[in-house]
Amino acid sequence: ARVGLTETEAKARFGEKVKVFKVEFSDNDRAQTESETTGFAKIVTLNGKKIFGASVIGAHAGELIHEFVLAMRHNLTLTDLNKAVHVYPTFSKITQAAATEQTLETQISVRAEMVQQIFEDLAVKEGRNSFSSNILSEYFCGNLRAAILIFRWTADRRRIL
């Protein structure tokens, strides 16, 4: 099932501003329980916000696409969809998984900028050149797991600096 623009169509119209989120059915507990793990949901957005289109391939695709139709009709974002309750274990958690991926990516990006600034501030205070702090911050910011681990630390550290 599909609604709106495909990834190719959106990129042709909007170029680099297009961000795509893809969730495999094999990552969904209900799909695993029902042995329906073949398939995916792909959501095409503008900068991770406005939904341009969605494609759902797999079991229950016809039912799953309606949430994206509604979201597009009412200009809802993936963040808005993530606020809705998605009962566990259901196929609808696929929608929530895509929205959670977008939310995490946004948070990681914001935190990465904060970490970058923190390391630059520390380098200046310690009289070091900022190049070495940039290398360190890129290591942490490029590593999703490390970025999540320092999520709280950055907020606390920012208050101290």
Side-chain angles (χ1 to χ4, degrees), residues 106 129 145 151:
T106 301
N129 84 31
R145 185 168 234 159
F151 182 85

Side-chain angles (χ1 to χ4, degrees), residues 4-161:
L5 301 177
T6 65
E7 179 180 0
T8 304
E9 293 168 339
K11 285 186 176 180
R13 283 171 123 175
F14 302 101
E16 296 297 317
K17 295 179 182 177
V18 173
K19 177 68 184 157
V20 177
F21 299 94
K22 185 176 178 183
V23 178
E24 299 289 335
F25 274 40
S26 59
D27 294 334
N28 179 271
D29 290 344
R30 184 59 175 258
Q32 292 173 13
T33 301
E34 294 186 10
S35 298
E36 296 283 1
T37 56
T38 302
F40 62 89
K42 185 189 286 189
I43 300 86
V44 181
T45 67
L46 175 65
N47 293 326
K49 294 187 170 98
K50 181 176 176 58
I51 300 171
F52 283 144
S55 300
V56 182
I57 311 297
H60 307 284
E63 286 94 26
L64 293 171
I65 201 70
H66 290 289
E67 193 166 5
F68 297 108
V69 171
L70 182 68
M72 290 174 65
R73 173 71 175 98
H74 294 285
N75 292 314
L76 301 175
T77 64
L78 281 174
T79 302
D80 295 326
L81 291 180
N82 203 21
K83 293 175 186 174
V85 174
H86 293 83
V87 179
Y88 176 84
T90 61
F91 279 91
S92 70
K93 294 291 276 181
I94 290 168
T95 302
Q96 190 175 32
T100 298
E101 182 182 327
Q102 181 273 332
T103 301
L104 281 173
E105 185 174 291
T106 301
Q107 290 299 315
I108 297 302
S109 176
V110 168
R111 295 297 177 183
E113 291 174 15
M114 288 177 65
V115 170
Q116 178 79 24
Q117 187 60 51
I118 288 167
F119 283 125
E120 287 176 3
D121 292 347
L122 288 171
V124 168
K125 284 183 177 185
E126 295 178 11
R128 298 181 182 174
N129 84 31
S130 61
F131 180 74
S132 62
S133 66
N134 288 340
I135 292 171
L136 186 58
S137 64
E138 285 173 16
Y139 168 77
F140 281 116
C141 298
N143 182 326
L144 178 62
R145 185 168 234 159
I148 291 170
L149 291 174
I150 61 174
F151 182 85
R152 288 190 181 124
W153 177 85
T154 56
D156 293 339
R157 186 73 181 150
R158 195 68 163 154
R159 284 189 287 268
I160 293 168
L161 297 175

